[in-house]
Amino acid sequence: MSFSVVFIRSEPGFGGDTPMPLGTKTQVPVGVTVFLGRSTDAQIHMPEGTVARLHALLAVMPDKLRLLVVDLGSTNGIHVGGAPRQVALLASGEEFRIANRYWFRVVQD
């Protein structure tokens, strides 16, 4: 069992384009850490100035029921339910936002 994150929304601002097409889906397999960031080393590459080089990591929890999302010390952080979070455990259907602009939805595959 694995999870995916789906890019669902981008707030306008800073004159940049959407860093990836809406609906882009990235799988997060069990036992694999997926990085999200501006760096080309990130599996979810978002080449936009408000996104840190390595902004967050995603990993499936051992119970395989939740996805771990961890902010890696970025300036613009991650938000869940409108509140800033350093660490979040998300179930399928929940959403998180990075860099105050980009929304992702967690889906269980």
Side-chain angles (χ1 to χ4, degrees), residues 52-89:
R53 194 175 70 72
L54 289 176
H55 198 102
L57 71 79
L58 311 172
V60 177
M61 292 300 294
D63 65 9
K64 299 179 185 146
L65 299 175
R66 296 167 295 165
L67 183 72
L68 174 69
V69 181
V70 179
D71 179 75
L72 297 175
S74 68
T75 299
N76 294 312
I78 60 172
H79 292 76
V80 177
R85 301 285 296 271
Q86 186 66 34
V87 176
L89 291 172

Side-chain angles (χ1 to χ4, degrees), residues 17-79:
D17 293 329
T18 300
M20 66 181 68
L22 294 178
T24 299
K25 185 176 180 179
T26 304
Q27 190 174 43
V28 183
V30 173
V32 176
T33 300
V34 171
F35 290 92
L36 186 154
R38 193 175 68 238
S39 170
T40 55
D41 294 331
Q43 291 89 342
I44 302 174
H45 179 147
M46 301 188 71
E48 207 279 333
T50 60
V51 177
R53 194 175 70 72
L54 289 176
H55 198 102
L57 71 79
L58 311 172
V60 177
M61 292 300 294
D63 65 9
K64 299 179 185 146
L65 299 175
R66 296 167 295 165
L67 183 72
L68 174 69
V69 181
V70 179
D71 179 75
L72 297 175
S74 68
T75 299
N76 294 312
I78 60 172
H79 292 76

